[in-house]
Amino acid sequence: MQIKRDDLRGPEIAAMLEAHLKDFEPHSPPESRHALDLDGLRRPEVHFYTAWEDNELLGCGAFKRLDDTHAEIKSMRTDPNHLRKGVARAILAHLIEEARAAGLHRLSLETGSMEVFVPARKLYEAFGFDYCDPFGSYREDPYSVFMTRRL
């Protein structure tokens, strides 16, 4: 598996992110969906990465700088054909190392509170993320869970 910084120009990533946004629809109302679209992910404060194997897109993940020391994990996604193969673990480990290299001291994230998000929360817990209060511009929301960790 090769993980690289991505410019979000390829059709594969557009399709993966479209599926990512569509997957949220049955689980939370529009005002509780916080995923970024392609334009949002192309902003300069976002560092976006993709995982590939033999020219096949396996997954993606990003972090968005909130300030000089704090960033938010965004757009973690594994292609459904590659679940339970370590893709998300590899991407998350890569994001943590890239955030450290960028001089960040904290990573935080928002994810869903529903049962379908339990595997994601368990992954973040395994990487040392603890539950926390809302951060940045987030507010309490029954559809959201917030987590953070020091780097």
Side-chain angles (χ1 to χ4, degrees), residues 31-69:
E31 65 274 8
S32 295
R33 297 182 208 145
H34 304 288
L36 297 174
D37 62 12
L38 278 172
D39 288 337
L41 289 167
R42 287 184 181 128
R43 297 187 52 83
E45 65 271 19
V46 177
H47 296 236
F48 188 85
Y49 299 88
T50 48
W52 298 83
E53 190 170 78
D54 300 326
N55 295 318
E56 185 175 4
L57 178 60
L58 306 179
C60 64
F63 66 84
K64 175 185 174 187
R65 279 185 173 271
L66 302 175
D67 61 36
D68 289 341
T69 63

Side-chain angles (χ1 to χ4, degrees), residues 55-107:
N55 295 318
E56 185 175 4
L57 178 60
L58 306 179
C60 64
F63 66 84
K64 175 185 174 187
R65 279 185 173 271
L66 302 175
D67 61 36
D68 289 341
T69 63
H70 188 195
E72 177 184 3
I73 299 286
K74 300 297 288 182
S75 299
M76 286 287 296
R77 171 82 176 183
T78 300
D79 182 281
N81 294 320
H82 297 286
L83 294 173
R84 289 173 273 300
K85 295 180 182 178
V87 175
R89 285 183 147 321
I91 291 171
L92 186 55
H94 189 83
L95 291 175
I96 290 168
E97 289 310 309
E98 290 291 326
R100 275 192 186 117
L104 296 168
H105 299 277
R106 177 171 296 282
L107 279 174

Side-chain angles (χ1 to χ4, degrees), residues 66 70 108-110 131-141 144-148:
L66 302 175
H70 188 195
S108 299
L109 62 94
E110 177 275 338
Y131 293 91
C132 66
D133 291 330
F135 58 91
S137 62
Y138 289 109
R139 301 293 171 253
E140 287 290 341
D141 183 336
S144 292
V145 170
F146 305 96
M147 302 178 83
T148 193

